[in-house]
Amino acid sequence: MSNRDIQPFQFACPNCEEVISFTIGTQEGDITGAIDILDFKGPFNGENPFVELHLDFPVSFGAYEQVTTFMRIIHEIGDEAFRDLNLRLTLLNNLYSKKRDLQRLITQYKRGDIDAFEQACNKLDGVTLESHKKQDVLAALYTTTSNISSPFTIYEQNKEMSREMPEILRWLHSHHQEKTNEFFNKVIDNDFIKTLHHDCLSLYPKMIELELPFRPTFYQDYAEVDDTSKTPARISTADFDACCNFYKDLAEVYARQMTLVAGLNNLIKRGDYDLFDDSVRLNKKQEKIKAFESIDSYANMDLGRKAGAIDDSFFRFNESAIDNKIRNGIAHYKYTYKESSQLITFYPAREGMERNTYHELYFSEFMRKSLLLFRDVHNLNHMIKAVLYFNIFILKNDV
C-alpha cells in the first residue's frame, strides 16, 4: 500500500473493458463499474482475472504470484535507492494537498497582484517574500516552483543549469554585448519572454494535479531498464485524456523555449541571434532557407524541426523526452487507448483515411516520457530565471 492518505484506483476489466474504480481513505469509497460475484469461492484461484494495483510503483500484468509489489521493488533497486524514492513520494504526499495554494500563488503572480501574491506566499511553508521588488518576487516564485518540482526532478540537473546559465550570460555580455542587449530588448519588447515565462508557470499546478499517474514513473530513476516502451507495466490510476493534454501542453512550451535556446546559442557560436549555422540555413544550392532566415522565422517552426537546427547546443536536450510520433498522434487525435492493457497506439503518418503506420507503447512509458519532458521544461525555466535576473541587475531592464 502507498502512504498517501487518499488512494484512488482505476483499471479496466480485461474481458469487457468496463472501467472499474474505487477509493481507499474516504467514506465514499464504493466500487463503480463492477458488482459482487455470486457464489464467490475465493481469490487467486484463476477463475477470474487477477489485477495487481499499487499507486507508487508500476505493477505487472499476468497471473497472481506470491510476491508483493513492494518486495519486488526492494529487490530490484535495493534499500538505499528505495529510501531516496520513498523520500520523494513522501514529499509528493505533502505537496498534493497544497495544490490550491500553489495555483493561487502562480495565478496572482501572472496577474501582477503582488499583495495577493504575498498572501499566497504566507500560506506556503518555506516561501517568504522579502519585499515587493521584482527580484524578491522572483525569488519567492522560484522557491515555490522548486518546491513543487522537487519530487519530479533531479536536483543535480537543476543545480547545473542554475550554476552555468549566469556564467553564459556574463560571457555573452562581455564578448557580444551589442547583439546580446539587442536580443533581450527584442524578447522583452514583444512580450515573448513574459508570455513564455507565464506558460511555463502554468504547467506546475497541472503537474501536481496529475501526480497520481506520475508516481510510478519515479521508479525508473533507480531501476536498470534499457527500453520499457513495450513492457506491460500497469499504472493503477489514470485519466489518459488529461495526461495526453498535459503532454501536448509540455511540448508546446518546450517548442517555445527552444526559440530562446536557439537565439542564445546563435549568439554564443556566431555573435548574432539571427544567424544559424550554414549547414542549417542554406540548402544544397547554397541558397537561404526561409525558415532559418531569422529567429522570428525559426519561432514559427514545429518542434520536430527546431531541435535539429541548434548546432552543438549549450543546453543538452534529453533525446528521450520528445517523440515526434507521439506528439503528432496526440496533436491530430490519431491514437487509440485500450484501458485494460494500457496499450496506446499512435498513428503519426499522413495516410488520408487509412491507418496503416502505427507506433505502440504502454501508458507507463508514455508517462515516463512526459516526466522527462517536464524535467527539460523545468530546467529551461531556470534558464528563464537567469535571463530575468540578468536583465534586472546587469541590463537594468524592466521585466
PDB file of all heavy atoms in Angstrom, residues 152 154 157 207 214 217 220-221 250 254 318-322 365-379:
ATOM      1  N   PHE A 152       9.705  15.514  -8.609  1.00  0.00           N
ATOM      2  CA  PHE A 152       9.675  15.088 -10.002  1.00  0.00           C
ATOM      3  C   PHE A 152      11.021  15.212 -10.711  1.00  0.00           C
ATOM      4  O   PHE A 152      11.232  14.584 -11.742  1.00  0.00           O
ATOM      5  CB  PHE A 152       8.662  15.941 -10.782  1.00  0.00           C
ATOM      6  CG  PHE A 152       7.254  15.857 -10.279  1.00  0.00           C
ATOM      7  CD1 PHE A 152       6.741  16.832  -9.427  1.00  0.00           C
ATOM      8  CD2 PHE A 152       6.434  14.816 -10.647  1.00  0.00           C
ATOM      9  CE1 PHE A 152       5.444  16.767  -8.962  1.00  0.00           C
ATOM     10  CE2 PHE A 152       5.118  14.738 -10.190  1.00  0.00           C
ATOM     11  CZ  PHE A 152       4.634  15.721  -9.347  1.00  0.00           C
ATOM     12  N   ILE A 154      15.509  15.972 -10.878  1.00  0.00           N
ATOM     13  CA  ILE A 154      16.798  15.536 -10.342  1.00  0.00           C
ATOM     14  C   ILE A 154      17.570  16.778  -9.895  1.00  0.00           C
ATOM     15  O   ILE A 154      17.883  17.651 -10.711  1.00  0.00           O
ATOM     16  CB  ILE A 154      17.607  14.762 -11.397  1.00  0.00           C
ATOM     17  CG1 ILE A 154      16.788  13.583 -11.934  1.00  0.00           C
ATOM     18  CG2 ILE A 154      18.922  14.289 -10.821  1.00  0.00           C
ATOM     19  CD1 ILE A 154      16.408  12.548 -10.899  1.00  0.00           C
ATOM     20  N   GLN A 157      20.721  18.038 -11.791  1.00  0.00           N
ATOM     21  CA  GLN A 157      20.468  18.656 -13.092  1.00  0.00           C
ATOM     22  C   GLN A 157      20.008  20.108 -12.924  1.00  0.00           C
ATOM     23  O   GLN A 157      20.451  20.996 -13.662  1.00  0.00           O
ATOM     24  CB  GLN A 157      19.418  17.856 -13.857  1.00  0.00           C
ATOM     25  CG  GLN A 157      19.862  16.457 -14.238  1.00  0.00           C
ATOM     26  CD  GLN A 157      18.759  15.662 -14.912  1.00  0.00           C
ATOM     27  OE1 GLN A 157      17.630  16.138 -15.071  1.00  0.00           O
ATOM     28  NE2 GLN A 157      19.063  14.431 -15.297  1.00  0.00           N
ATOM     29  N   MET A 207       0.976  19.714 -13.177  1.00  0.00           N
ATOM     30  CA  MET A 207       1.822  18.584 -12.791  1.00  0.00           C
ATOM     31  C   MET A 207       1.360  18.000 -11.458  1.00  0.00           C
ATOM     32  O   MET A 207       1.259  16.773 -11.301  1.00  0.00           O
ATOM     33  CB  MET A 207       3.276  19.051 -12.696  1.00  0.00           C
ATOM     34  CG  MET A 207       4.289  17.924 -12.569  1.00  0.00           C
ATOM     35  SD  MET A 207       4.439  17.049 -14.125  1.00  0.00           S
ATOM     36  CE  MET A 207       5.697  15.826 -13.714  1.00  0.00           C
ATOM     37  N   PHE A 214       1.934   9.995 -12.299  1.00  0.00           N
ATOM     38  CA  PHE A 214       3.372  10.202 -12.382  1.00  0.00           C
ATOM     39  C   PHE A 214       4.134   9.442 -11.296  1.00  0.00           C
ATOM     40  O   PHE A 214       5.328   9.164 -11.460  1.00  0.00           O
ATOM     41  CB  PHE A 214       3.706  11.700 -12.280  1.00  0.00           C
ATOM     42  CG  PHE A 214       3.647  12.417 -13.589  1.00  0.00           C
ATOM     43  CD1 PHE A 214       2.629  13.317 -13.858  1.00  0.00           C
ATOM     44  CD2 PHE A 214       4.600  12.192 -14.566  1.00  0.00           C
ATOM     45  CE1 PHE A 214       2.556  13.978 -15.080  1.00  0.00           C
ATOM     46  CE2 PHE A 214       4.551  12.846 -15.795  1.00  0.00           C
ATOM     47  CZ  PHE A 214       3.518  13.742 -16.051  1.00  0.00           C
ATOM     48  N   THR A 217       6.383   6.468 -12.175  1.00  0.00           N
ATOM     49  CA  THR A 217       7.477   6.718 -13.117  1.00  0.00           C
ATOM     50  C   THR A 217       8.789   7.013 -12.400  1.00  0.00           C
ATOM     51  O   THR A 217       9.859   6.901 -13.015  1.00  0.00           O
ATOM     52  CB  THR A 217       7.140   7.891 -14.052  1.00  0.00           C
ATOM     53  OG1 THR A 217       7.041   9.107 -13.294  1.00  0.00           O
ATOM     54  CG2 THR A 217       5.815   7.660 -14.779  1.00  0.00           C
ATOM     55  N   GLN A 220      11.814   4.315 -12.314  1.00  0.00           N
ATOM     56  CA  GLN A 220      12.778   4.120 -13.381  1.00  0.00           C
ATOM     57  C   GLN A 220      14.036   4.973 -13.217  1.00  0.00           C
ATOM     58  O   GLN A 220      15.021   4.757 -13.924  1.00  0.00           O
ATOM     59  CB  GLN A 220      12.134   4.386 -14.746  1.00  0.00           C
ATOM     60  CG  GLN A 220      11.190   3.272 -15.164  1.00  0.00           C
ATOM     61  CD  GLN A 220      10.511   3.575 -16.487  1.00  0.00           C
ATOM     62  OE1 GLN A 220       9.300   3.694 -16.570  1.00  0.00           O
ATOM     63  NE2 GLN A 220      11.301   3.702 -17.527  1.00  0.00           N
ATOM     64  N   ASP A 221      14.031   5.911 -12.288  1.00  0.00           N
ATOM     65  CA  ASP A 221      15.257   6.645 -11.978  1.00  0.00           C
ATOM     66  C   ASP A 221      16.274   5.753 -11.275  1.00  0.00           C
ATOM     67  O   ASP A 221      17.465   6.080 -11.224  1.00  0.00           O
ATOM     68  CB  ASP A 221      14.959   7.849 -11.080  1.00  0.00           C
ATOM     69  CG  ASP A 221      14.244   8.967 -11.821  1.00  0.00           C
ATOM     70  OD1 ASP A 221      14.475   9.110 -13.033  1.00  0.00           O
ATOM     71  OD2 ASP A 221      13.445   9.683 -11.182  1.00  0.00           O
ATOM     72  N   LEU A 250       3.071  20.484 -22.544  1.00  0.00           N
ATOM     73  CA  LEU A 250       4.518  20.460 -22.316  1.00  0.00           C
ATOM     74  C   LEU A 250       5.283  20.659 -23.621  1.00  0.00           C
ATOM     75  O   LEU A 250       6.238  21.449 -23.690  1.00  0.00           O
ATOM     76  CB  LEU A 250       4.930  19.122 -21.689  1.00  0.00           C
ATOM     77  CG  LEU A 250       4.676  18.911 -20.205  1.00  0.00           C
ATOM     78  CD1 LEU A 250       4.924  17.449 -19.841  1.00  0.00           C
ATOM     79  CD2 LEU A 250       5.548  19.810 -19.348  1.00  0.00           C
ATOM     80  N   TYR A 254       7.789  23.651 -24.588  1.00  0.00           N
ATOM     81  CA  TYR A 254       9.155  23.237 -24.928  1.00  0.00           C
ATOM     82  C   TYR A 254       9.583  23.817 -26.270  1.00  0.00           C
ATOM     83  O   TYR A 254      10.717  24.288 -26.435  1.00  0.00           O
ATOM     84  CB  TYR A 254       9.187  21.718 -24.966  1.00  0.00           C
ATOM     85  CG  TYR A 254      10.544  21.061 -24.909  1.00  0.00           C
ATOM     86  CD1 TYR A 254      11.494  21.423 -23.968  1.00  0.00           C
ATOM     87  CD2 TYR A 254      10.854  20.013 -25.772  1.00  0.00           C
ATOM     88  CE1 TYR A 254      12.719  20.782 -23.896  1.00  0.00           C
ATOM     89  CE2 TYR A 254      12.077  19.359 -25.707  1.00  0.00           C
ATOM     90  CZ  TYR A 254      12.997  19.745 -24.772  1.00  0.00           C
ATOM     91  OH  TYR A 254      14.213  19.098 -24.697  1.00  0.00           O
ATOM     92  N   ASN A 318      17.230  16.348 -23.643  1.00  0.00           N
ATOM     93  CA  ASN A 318      17.039  14.918 -23.395  1.00  0.00           C
ATOM     94  C   ASN A 318      16.353  14.307 -24.613  1.00  0.00           C
ATOM     95  O   ASN A 318      15.173  14.556 -24.858  1.00  0.00           O
ATOM     96  CB  ASN A 318      16.201  14.708 -22.130  1.00  0.00           C
ATOM     97  CG  ASN A 318      16.137  13.249 -21.704  1.00  0.00           C
ATOM     98  OD1 ASN A 318      16.197  12.337 -22.529  1.00  0.00           O
ATOM     99  ND2 ASN A 318      16.014  13.024 -20.412  1.00  0.00           N
ATOM    100  N   GLU A 319      17.090  13.506 -25.363  1.00  0.00           N
ATOM    101  CA  GLU A 319      16.554  12.954 -26.605  1.00  0.00           C
ATOM    102  C   GLU A 319      15.397  11.987 -26.356  1.00  0.00           C
ATOM    103  O   GLU A 319      14.597  11.721 -27.261  1.00  0.00           O
ATOM    104  CB  GLU A 319      17.667  12.251 -27.385  1.00  0.00           C
ATOM    105  CG  GLU A 319      18.750  13.215 -27.872  1.00  0.00           C
ATOM    106  CD  GLU A 319      19.837  12.521 -28.657  1.00  0.00           C
ATOM    107  OE1 GLU A 319      19.727  11.293 -28.839  1.00  0.00           O
ATOM    108  OE2 GLU A 319      20.788  13.205 -29.090  1.00  0.00           O
ATOM    109  N   SER A 320      15.304  11.458 -25.134  1.00  0.00           N
ATOM    110  CA  SER A 320      14.206  10.538 -24.810  1.00  0.00           C
ATOM    111  C   SER A 320      12.913  11.275 -24.466  1.00  0.00           C
ATOM    112  O   SER A 320      11.857  10.655 -24.368  1.00  0.00           O
ATOM    113  CB  SER A 320      14.606   9.642 -23.622  1.00  0.00           C
ATOM    114  OG  SER A 320      15.748   8.884 -23.932  1.00  0.00           O
ATOM    115  N   ALA A 321      13.013  12.591 -24.282  1.00  0.00           N
ATOM    116  CA  ALA A 321      11.853  13.340 -23.803  1.00  0.00           C
ATOM    117  C   ALA A 321      10.824  13.575 -24.899  1.00  0.00           C
ATOM    118  O   ALA A 321       9.620  13.538 -24.645  1.00  0.00           O
ATOM    119  CB  ALA A 321      12.306  14.686 -23.213  1.00  0.00           C
ATOM    120  N   ILE A 322      11.300  13.851 -26.107  1.00  0.00           N
ATOM    121  CA  ILE A 322      10.379  14.190 -27.196  1.00  0.00           C
ATOM    122  C   ILE A 322      10.333  13.059 -28.204  1.00  0.00           C
ATOM    123  O   ILE A 322      11.359  12.584 -28.676  1.00  0.00           O
ATOM    124  CB  ILE A 322      10.812  15.495 -27.888  1.00  0.00           C
ATOM    125  CG1 ILE A 322      10.249  16.689 -27.128  1.00  0.00           C
ATOM    126  CG2 ILE A 322      10.298  15.562 -29.308  1.00  0.00           C
ATOM    127  CD1 ILE A 322       8.742  16.811 -27.194  1.00  0.00           C
ATOM    128  N   GLU A 365       5.195   3.919 -20.016  1.00  0.00           N
ATOM    129  CA  GLU A 365       6.307   4.562 -20.696  1.00  0.00           C
ATOM    130  C   GLU A 365       5.912   5.936 -21.230  1.00  0.00           C
ATOM    131  O   GLU A 365       6.741   6.848 -21.287  1.00  0.00           O
ATOM    132  CB  GLU A 365       6.817   3.678 -21.829  1.00  0.00           C
ATOM    133  CG  GLU A 365       7.999   4.242 -22.598  1.00  0.00           C
ATOM    134  CD  GLU A 365       9.220   4.504 -21.730  1.00  0.00           C
ATOM    135  OE1 GLU A 365       9.268   4.003 -20.582  1.00  0.00           O
ATOM    136  OE2 GLU A 365      10.135   5.225 -22.186  1.00  0.00           O
ATOM    137  N   PHE A 366       4.667   6.088 -21.627  1.00  0.00           N
ATOM    138  CA  PHE A 366       4.197   7.409 -22.040  1.00  0.00           C
ATOM    139  C   PHE A 366       4.332   8.409 -20.897  1.00  0.00           C
ATOM    140  O   PHE A 366       4.785   9.541 -21.090  1.00  0.00           O
ATOM    141  CB  PHE A 366       2.736   7.318 -22.486  1.00  0.00           C
ATOM    142  CG  PHE A 366       2.094   8.651 -22.766  1.00  0.00           C
ATOM    143  CD1 PHE A 366       2.420   9.367 -23.907  1.00  0.00           C
ATOM    144  CD2 PHE A 366       1.187   9.201 -21.869  1.00  0.00           C
ATOM    145  CE1 PHE A 366       1.838  10.603 -24.163  1.00  0.00           C
ATOM    146  CE2 PHE A 366       0.600  10.429 -22.115  1.00  0.00           C
ATOM    147  CZ  PHE A 366       0.932  11.137 -23.265  1.00  0.00           C
ATOM    148  N   MET A 367       3.971   7.989 -19.679  1.00  0.00           N
ATOM    149  CA  MET A 367       4.101   8.873 -18.527  1.00  0.00           C
ATOM    150  C   MET A 367       5.571   9.134 -18.198  1.00  0.00           C
ATOM    151  O   MET A 367       5.942  10.225 -17.761  1.00  0.00           O
ATOM    152  CB  MET A 367       3.380   8.276 -17.314  1.00  0.00           C
ATOM    153  CG  MET A 367       1.863   8.204 -17.463  1.00  0.00           C
ATOM    154  SD  MET A 367       1.103   9.782 -17.932  1.00  0.00           S
ATOM    155  CE  MET A 367       1.557  10.815 -16.542  1.00  0.00           C
ATOM    156  N   ARG A 368       6.416   8.141 -18.430  1.00  0.00           N
ATOM    157  CA  ARG A 368       7.844   8.340 -18.212  1.00  0.00           C
ATOM    158  C   ARG A 368       8.391   9.398 -19.169  1.00  0.00           C
ATOM    159  O   ARG A 368       9.162  10.280 -18.781  1.00  0.00           O
ATOM    160  CB  ARG A 368       8.588   7.019 -18.393  1.00  0.00           C
ATOM    161  CG  ARG A 368      10.103   7.120 -18.241  1.00  0.00           C
ATOM    162  CD  ARG A 368      10.521   7.487 -16.826  1.00  0.00           C
ATOM    163  NE  ARG A 368      11.969   7.606 -16.712  1.00  0.00           N
ATOM    164  CZ  ARG A 368      12.610   7.967 -15.612  1.00  0.00           C
ATOM    165  NH1 ARG A 368      11.944   8.232 -14.511  1.00  0.00           N
ATOM    166  NH2 ARG A 368      13.922   8.048 -15.581  1.00  0.00           N
ATOM    167  N   LYS A 369       8.002   9.326 -20.429  1.00  0.00           N
ATOM    168  CA  LYS A 369       8.418  10.328 -21.401  1.00  0.00           C
ATOM    169  C   LYS A 369       7.899  11.711 -21.001  1.00  0.00           C
ATOM    170  O   LYS A 369       8.590  12.723 -21.173  1.00  0.00           O
ATOM    171  CB  LYS A 369       7.929   9.949 -22.796  1.00  0.00           C
ATOM    172  CG  LYS A 369       8.693   8.804 -23.443  1.00  0.00           C
ATOM    173  CD  LYS A 369       8.158   8.496 -24.816  1.00  0.00           C
ATOM    174  CE  LYS A 369       8.955   7.386 -25.491  1.00  0.00           C
ATOM    175  NZ  LYS A 369      10.332   7.813 -25.840  1.00  0.00           N
ATOM    176  N   SER A 370       6.690  11.765 -20.474  1.00  0.00           N
ATOM    177  CA  SER A 370       6.127  13.036 -20.011  1.00  0.00           C
ATOM    178  C   SER A 370       6.943  13.594 -18.858  1.00  0.00           C
ATOM    179  O   SER A 370       7.188  14.810 -18.781  1.00  0.00           O
ATOM    180  CB  SER A 370       4.669  12.854 -19.576  1.00  0.00           C
ATOM    181  OG  SER A 370       3.860  12.412 -20.643  1.00  0.00           O
ATOM    182  N   LEU A 371       7.381  12.721 -17.953  1.00  0.00           N
ATOM    183  CA  LEU A 371       8.207  13.156 -16.828  1.00  0.00           C
ATOM    184  C   LEU A 371       9.539  13.724 -17.325  1.00  0.00           C
ATOM    185  O   LEU A 371       9.991  14.782 -16.861  1.00  0.00           O
ATOM    186  CB  LEU A 371       8.453  11.984 -15.875  1.00  0.00           C
ATOM    187  CG  LEU A 371       9.357  12.285 -14.676  1.00  0.00           C
ATOM    188  CD1 LEU A 371       8.708  13.289 -13.734  1.00  0.00           C
ATOM    189  CD2 LEU A 371       9.706  10.997 -13.928  1.00  0.00           C
ATOM    190  N   LEU A 372      10.188  13.027 -18.260  1.00  0.00           N
ATOM    191  CA  LEU A 372      11.463  13.507 -18.796  1.00  0.00           C
ATOM    192  C   LEU A 372      11.294  14.841 -19.506  1.00  0.00           C
ATOM    193  O   LEU A 372      12.164  15.722 -19.410  1.00  0.00           O
ATOM    194  CB  LEU A 372      12.049  12.465 -19.744  1.00  0.00           C
ATOM    195  CG  LEU A 372      12.427  11.120 -19.126  1.00  0.00           C
ATOM    196  CD1 LEU A 372      12.959  10.174 -20.199  1.00  0.00           C
ATOM    197  CD2 LEU A 372      13.455  11.288 -18.011  1.00  0.00           C
ATOM    198  N   LEU A 373      10.183  14.990 -20.211  1.00  0.00           N
ATOM    199  CA  LEU A 373       9.917  16.261 -20.888  1.00  0.00           C
ATOM    200  C   LEU A 373       9.703  17.374 -19.880  1.00  0.00           C
ATOM    201  O   LEU A 373      10.214  18.489 -20.048  1.00  0.00           O
ATOM    202  CB  LEU A 373       8.698  16.109 -21.801  1.00  0.00           C
ATOM    203  CG  LEU A 373       8.286  17.340 -22.612  1.00  0.00           C
ATOM    204  CD1 LEU A 373       9.455  17.890 -23.422  1.00  0.00           C
ATOM    205  CD2 LEU A 373       7.113  16.999 -23.531  1.00  0.00           C
ATOM    206  N   PHE A 374       8.955  17.098 -18.812  1.00  0.00           N
ATOM    207  CA  PHE A 374       8.758  18.105 -17.766  1.00  0.00           C
ATOM    208  C   PHE A 374      10.102  18.532 -17.168  1.00  0.00           C
ATOM    209  O   PHE A 374      10.313  19.716 -16.874  1.00  0.00           O
ATOM    210  CB  PHE A 374       7.844  17.577 -16.663  1.00  0.00           C
ATOM    211  CG  PHE A 374       7.738  18.503 -15.486  1.00  0.00           C
ATOM    212  CD1 PHE A 374       6.933  19.628 -15.538  1.00  0.00           C
ATOM    213  CD2 PHE A 374       8.464  18.264 -14.322  1.00  0.00           C
ATOM    214  CE1 PHE A 374       6.852  20.511 -14.454  1.00  0.00           C
ATOM    215  CE2 PHE A 374       8.390  19.126 -13.240  1.00  0.00           C
ATOM    216  CZ  PHE A 374       7.583  20.246 -13.309  1.00  0.00           C
ATOM    217  N   ARG A 375      11.004  17.581 -16.984  1.00  0.00           N
ATOM    218  CA  ARG A 375      12.313  17.919 -16.413  1.00  0.00           C
ATOM    219  C   ARG A 375      13.077  18.882 -17.304  1.00  0.00           C
ATOM    220  O   ARG A 375      13.710  19.821 -16.809  1.00  0.00           O
ATOM    221  CB  ARG A 375      13.122  16.639 -16.175  1.00  0.00           C
ATOM    222  CG  ARG A 375      12.611  15.822 -15.005  1.00  0.00           C
ATOM    223  CD  ARG A 375      13.376  14.522 -14.846  1.00  0.00           C
ATOM    224  NE  ARG A 375      12.867  13.782 -13.695  1.00  0.00           N
ATOM    225  CZ  ARG A 375      13.251  12.542 -13.367  1.00  0.00           C
ATOM    226  NH1 ARG A 375      14.146  11.919 -14.117  1.00  0.00           N
ATOM    227  NH2 ARG A 375      12.732  11.950 -12.311  1.00  0.00           N
ATOM    228  N   ASP A 376      13.028  18.656 -18.617  1.00  0.00           N
ATOM    229  CA  ASP A 376      13.694  19.588 -19.526  1.00  0.00           C
ATOM    230  C   ASP A 376      13.028  20.958 -19.479  1.00  0.00           C
ATOM    231  O   ASP A 376      13.707  21.998 -19.462  1.00  0.00           O
ATOM    232  CB  ASP A 376      13.656  19.044 -20.954  1.00  0.00           C
ATOM    233  CG  ASP A 376      14.968  18.388 -21.352  1.00  0.00           C
ATOM    234  OD1 ASP A 376      15.781  18.104 -20.454  1.00  0.00           O
ATOM    235  OD2 ASP A 376      15.182  18.140 -22.560  1.00  0.00           O
ATOM    236  N   VAL A 377      11.707  20.976 -19.475  1.00  0.00           N
ATOM    237  CA  VAL A 377      10.974  22.248 -19.408  1.00  0.00           C
ATOM    238  C   VAL A 377      11.315  22.984 -18.112  1.00  0.00           C
ATOM    239  O   VAL A 377      11.515  24.206 -18.107  1.00  0.00           O
ATOM    240  CB  VAL A 377       9.454  22.005 -19.524  1.00  0.00           C
ATOM    241  CG1 VAL A 377       8.669  23.269 -19.192  1.00  0.00           C
ATOM    242  CG2 VAL A 377       9.098  21.518 -20.933  1.00  0.00           C
ATOM    243  N   HIS A 378      11.380  22.250 -17.022  1.00  0.00           N
ATOM    244  CA  HIS A 378      11.715  22.853 -15.729  1.00  0.00           C
ATOM    245  C   HIS A 378      13.147  23.409 -15.739  1.00  0.00           C
ATOM    246  O   HIS A 378      13.393  24.524 -15.254  1.00  0.00           O
ATOM    247  CB  HIS A 378      11.560  21.818 -14.619  1.00  0.00           C
ATOM    248  CG  HIS A 378      12.024  22.293 -13.277  1.00  0.00           C
ATOM    249  ND1 HIS A 378      11.369  23.278 -12.565  1.00  0.00           N
ATOM    250  CD2 HIS A 378      13.087  21.942 -12.513  1.00  0.00           C
ATOM    251  CE1 HIS A 378      11.997  23.503 -11.426  1.00  0.00           C
ATOM    252  NE2 HIS A 378      13.049  22.713 -11.376  1.00  0.00           N
ATOM    253  N   ASN A 379      14.098  22.654 -16.297  1.00  0.00           N
ATOM    254  CA  ASN A 379      15.477  23.148 -16.386  1.00  0.00           C
ATOM    255  C   ASN A 379      15.550  24.415 -17.221  1.00  0.00           C
ATOM    256  O   ASN A 379      16.275  25.359 -16.885  1.00  0.00           O
ATOM    257  CB  ASN A 379      16.376  22.064 -16.994  1.00  0.00           C
ATOM    258  CG  ASN A 379      16.786  21.014 -15.985  1.00  0.00           C
ATOM    259  OD1 ASN A 379      16.824  21.278 -14.789  1.00  0.00           O
ATOM    260  ND2 ASN A 379      17.087  19.823 -16.462  1.00  0.00           N
TER     261      ASN A 379
END
